[in-house]
Amino acid sequence: MILYILCYFLVTIIFISIGKVVVTKFDLENKYNFFDFFFIGICFVGAILNIWSLFFPTDILSFLFLLILSFFCLFYIKKKNLININALFVRLKTLIKSQPYFILAVLITFLFILFTSIITPRLFDSHLYHIGAIKWNEMYNVVPGLANFHDRFGFNSSFFVMSASFTLTSILNQSLYLLSSLIILVFFIWLIKIAFEKKGLIAFICIFYLYFFYEQYILDISSPSSDLLPNILISFLFFKLLILGENFKNQYLLLVVIPFFCITLKLSTIPILLISFIALFYKFNKLNAIKQTLIYGTIFILPWIIRNVILTGYVLYPFEEIDFFNFDWEVPAEKVKETKDWVYSWAKIPFYDSKEVLNKSFSEWFSIWWEMTDIKNRRLFIVALISPVLLTVVYLFKRHTFNKVFITTYSICYLGFIFWLLKAPDFRFSFSLILLLNISVLIKIFDFNLFYHKYTYHFIIIIMFSTLIINTKKSFILFSEDYKVYELTSYLFKPINYNTFVKRCNAEFIKNKYSFKNKKEVILYSPLQNNSSRCFDVIPCSAYLNKNIKLRGNSFKNGFKYKK
């Protein structure tokens, strides 16, 4: 735990300092706060590491580089008097005295997130390929044709590159997967802050969001999953526009940067890029908006596309139709299509044959999908689906409460929801959009005045702490599966080594002999059947080895190719 707290502090300094300097350079005229700097910093750190990974492994050296860069940023901030440290301490002291319930809520949130963060990764996909992808990024710069070795390694999420930089494996002799827990902690603190500031209806919406978001992603907090971060970023951005009433002119940098970066985390977030375009065209004239689009595209998208091409041979993976190159490491088109079909079919009906699922009509697969969906998600889904009807009815009676920003943002949110439903309707992929559509209905249906009673504040406090206690109980149950509370030494400094978990799973691997170009033999591992295709953190390992996979050079960094 102590190690996690120290890492939280250092990583937070990196994100905030870089975010602050970026805002200073690009949008000094608008007001941003600690949370805005943090999330903008995440996006730019991700972009920096994507560029870094083209030439070097994203290992401890990349972490030290970011740390040094953040110190330079802090020096610049201090030199330019962009922040008053004394004033910050005074505000903090005042906050502690004036808002004891807020401080207590933050401490409880910190506690249950910390408990959840140090459990061993629980998500199956993390054992299947997330951790493996992170290990490859730690050990090598981007590897040509790595998707030939394991098709999931072609899913080029910037989150895996970022995670590799912060695992600290070479120092600790074990890997820390702390990025998800830190980011969700900051997001939850932000929701709590908004709840205490706005009170009334918005406070209830914040609590509603916190409860359901944690319930959906509780297992992602300790697992290095690529699903959580884009959903947090989308939530943060759309919450500001839909609930807090921000417009497209204020904090335009936030509105531009987050959607661009989200694409590099999860390609399915592409509909929200419309927010960036709208913000740019509000801020600049047509020509300058196009220039700015090209600039941000170069910063965020171009390095990610280059990584795509090196890993898979394709600009976008797994889309075999977009094929502009003919590198020898290019994944065969039929293999790419097979992977794409599995992604789409698994999200609709897992454990079924992909061809069978994709041949079903919408009504056929939807009925099976619906039966497999739990009651809580069904209810949230129904409200999200019929939200246009509900909001249209409200609009007829309360037209004055709707503005262009809300209507535009809601429309983009609903477009993303429909895109998710038709393509890959797994709730973990776009749960934020479903929750956002639900709270869009709540904010318009209910009257604000009903929530400003003299006892409302006390009721909010009760609901808030009840929710936090429920979350703490859930986290403690998971924590108790890995640790005994009275054995402080087992978790006080650092969490259980992931290798301990692998041993508990009785994981076994087959050693397959391959040869580099210089005829030197090398071992490639493949999991035995009892592993359920999981390679855990074993490198190099793949459940999809076959005789057609060839090594391109005399080192793994030279990559893999597929040759029949």
Side-chain angles (χ1 to χ4, degrees):
M1 281 187 169
I2 294 172
L3 189 59
Y4 263 58
I5 294 169
L6 176 61
C7 290
Y8 284 170
F9 175 76
L10 292 176
V11 177
T12 300
I13 292 295
I14 290 171
F15 290 155
I16 291 176
S17 60
I18 291 175
K20 173 69 175 176
V21 170
V22 168
V23 167
T24 303
K25 292 296 183 182
F26 289 96
D27 191 22
L28 193 56
E29 63 187 65
N30 284 310
K31 289 185 178 180
Y32 294 82
N33 60 30
F34 161 89
F35 298 97
D36 302 323
F37 298 144
F38 181 84
F39 287 110
I40 290 172
I42 287 173
C43 299
F44 275 90
V45 166
I48 290 167
L49 290 176
N50 272 338
I51 296 169
W52 176 285
S53 70
L54 298 177
F55 308 99
F56 312 105
T58 44
D59 54 10
I60 189 63
L61 290 180
S62 64
F63 174 74
L64 293 174
F65 169 77
L66 291 173
L67 208 53
I68 293 169
L69 179 62
S70 69
F71 288 147
F72 277 110
C73 289
L74 289 171
F75 178 76
Y76 175 83
I77 291 167
K78 188 175 184 301
K79 185 179 179 181
K80 297 290 183 179
N81 293 317
L82 299 174
I83 192 168
N84 189 326
I85 302 296
N86 291 330
L88 279 178
F89 279 110
V90 170
R91 285 174 61 188
L92 183 60
K93 189 176 179 180
T94 305
L95 184 66
I96 293 171
K97 289 182 177 180
S98 62
Q99 294 284 353
Y101 288 125
F102 169 71
I103 298 299
L104 181 59
V106 168
L107 290 175
I108 294 173
T109 303
F110 183 81
L111 184 66
F112 75 72
I113 291 295
L114 195 59
F115 273 129
T116 313
S117 68
I118 65 171
I119 65 173
T120 50
R122 292 290 201 272
L123 293 181
F124 182 87
D125 278 359
S126 288
H127 310 310
L128 184 70
Y129 75 96
H130 294 163
I131 291 172
I134 292 168
K135 296 290 284 186
W136 277 98
N137 280 303
E138 274 188 273
M139 296 172 69
Y140 307 99
N141 58 309
V142 59
V143 176
L146 188 58
N148 283 309
F149 180 62
H150 194 311
D151 63 346
R152 266 61 162 198
F153 291 158
F155 297 156
N156 176 30
S157 174
S158 295
F159 181 76
F160 298 146
V161 182
M162 291 178 68
S163 294
S165 185
F166 299 110
T167 58
L168 308 182
T169 307
S170 58
I171 295 177
L172 303 173
N173 200 30
Q174 74 176 81
S175 299
L176 302 182
Y177 303 112
L178 54 84
L179 212 50
S180 293
S181 59
L182 170 62
I183 296 169
I184 199 171
L185 172 63
V186 173
F187 175 59
F188 280 176
I189 292 173
W190 178 73
L191 284 177
I192 294 169
K193 172 179 173 289
I194 297 301
F196 277 93
E197 283 181 352
K198 301 296 182 180
K199 303 182 176 66
L201 177 58
I202 291 179
F204 286 109
I205 286 175
C206 289
I207 296 167
F208 171 90
Y209 207 96
L210 189 153
Y211 174 79
F212 284 106
F213 198 88
Y214 181 73
E215 189 173 77
Q216 175 65 37
Y217 290 110
I218 185 171
L219 297 183
D220 293 64
I221 293 173
S222 66
S223 301
S225 166
S226 57
D227 299 318
L228 180 57
L229 179 54
N231 277 281
I232 291 175
L233 292 175
I234 289 170
S235 297
F236 182 71
L237 186 67
F238 278 74
F239 210 96
K240 280 175 169 281
L241 295 168
L242 291 171
I243 307 303
L244 302 183
E246 299 284 355
N247 60 48
F248 293 124
K249 291 181 180 179
N250 294 338
Q251 298 186 335
Y252 96 94
L253 186 63
L254 196 70
L255 304 182
V256 173
V257 164
I258 286 181
F260 268 98
F261 182 61
C262 276
I263 291 176
T264 74
L265 294 167
K266 205 85 175 174
L267 189 57
S268 58
T269 62
I270 198 166
I272 73 161
L273 194 58
L274 291 170
I275 294 287
S276 293
F277 296 149
I278 293 169
L280 285 170
F281 279 90
Y282 261 91
K283 178 73 175 177
F284 303 102
N285 61 43
K286 188 175 181 180
L287 182 60
N288 283 333
I290 293 171
K291 288 180 180 178
Q292 291 292 319
T293 301
L294 292 174
I295 290 170
Y296 288 109
T298 302
I299 293 171
F300 291 102
I301 307 296
L302 184 59
W304 175 74
I305 285 177
I306 294 171
R307 279 184 52 86
N308 280 340
V309 173
I310 296 174
L311 286 169
T312 69
Y314 297 85
V315 173
L316 298 176
Y317 180 88
F319 296 97
E320 76 283 359
E321 303 90 347
I322 309 174
D323 185 7
F324 301 133
F325 305 102
N326 191 30
F327 296 112
D328 70 327
W329 66 74
E330 182 175 283
V331 180
E334 62 273 16
K335 294 289 183 182
V336 179
K337 186 179 185 306
E338 184 181 316
T339 300
K340 181 177 68 176
D341 289 348
W342 269 112
V343 170
Y344 288 157
S345 67
W346 190 271
K348 293 174 180 176
I349 312 175
F351 304 106
Y352 276 53
D353 179 73
S354 61
K355 291 181 180 178
E356 180 186 349
V357 174
L358 296 179
N359 285 331
K360 291 180 182 294
S361 65
F362 178 84
S363 59
E364 288 174 332
W365 71 255
F366 184 83
S367 61
I368 300 172
W369 176 85
W370 185 254
E371 289 298 320
M372 298 175 70
T373 302
D374 63 50
I375 294 175
K376 178 259 298 181
N377 282 344
R378 284 186 192 181
R379 291 170 179 170
L380 293 171
F381 174 83
I382 290 171
V383 174
L385 186 66
I386 67 171
S387 59
V389 177
L390 297 173
L391 288 175
T392 300
V393 173
V394 175
Y395 180 78
L396 295 176
F397 296 94
K398 300 166 65 175
R399 186 174 300 185
H400 65 281
T401 64
F402 289 77
N403 57 36
K404 288 183 180 179
V405 174
F406 179 88
I407 294 170
T408 303
T409 307
Y410 168 81
S411 300
I412 294 171
C413 190
Y414 197 79
L415 175 65
F417 167 73
I418 295 299
F419 183 77
W420 162 83
L421 176 61
L422 297 178
K423 289 295 183 182
D426 189 323
F427 278 86
R428 62 194 166 98
F429 292 163
S430 293
F431 190 69
S432 58
L433 296 178
I434 296 168
L435 279 185
L436 288 163
L437 292 173
N438 274 260
I439 63 174
S440 297
V441 172
L442 291 175
I443 198 74
K444 294 303 179 186
I445 285 182
F446 292 102
D447 190 336
F448 275 82
N449 294 327
L450 291 175
F451 289 85
Y452 283 98
H453 190 271
K454 62 179 180 179
Y455 297 115
T456 299
Y457 180 73
H458 300 90
F459 189 51
I460 289 170
I461 295 296
I462 293 170
I463 297 296
M464 170 73 77
F465 283 99
S466 297
T467 300
L468 297 180
I469 289 168
I470 290 169
N471 288 351
T472 303
K473 183 180 178 181
K474 289 177 181 177
S475 71
F476 191 73
I477 290 171
L478 287 173
F479 174 82
S480 300
E481 293 175 5
D482 279 345
Y483 304 94
K484 294 179 180 178
V485 180
Y486 56 84
E487 293 181 356
L488 277 173
T489 54
S490 65
Y491 61 86
L492 185 60
F493 181 64
K494 62 180 180 180
I496 290 175
N497 195 319
Y498 181 68
N499 290 333
T500 304
F501 170 79
V502 177
K503 289 175 183 176
R504 285 209 306 254
C505 294
N506 296 316
E508 296 180 289
F509 301 89
I510 301 170
K511 295 181 178 180
N512 306 277
K513 291 184 178 181
Y514 278 70
S515 297
F516 287 126
K517 259 191 171 183
N518 60 8
K519 306 301 181 183
K520 181 182 176 181
E521 279 194 350
V522 64
I523 298 295
L524 302 182
Y525 296 92
S526 56
L528 284 174
Q529 191 172 359
N530 69 324
N531 287 12
S532 302
S533 301
R534 296 172 297 175
C535 282
F536 300 98
D537 61 348
V538 175
I539 297 292
C541 177
S542 171
Y544 311 104
L545 284 180
N546 64 63
K547 62 182 180 180
N548 296 319
I549 295 174
K550 308 293 181 185
L551 294 158
R552 294 182 64 250
N554 298 325
S555 168
F556 288 127
K557 67 180 180 181
N558 299 127
F560 302 84
K561 60 184 178 181
Y562 195 92
K563 189 174 182 180
K564 292 184 178 179

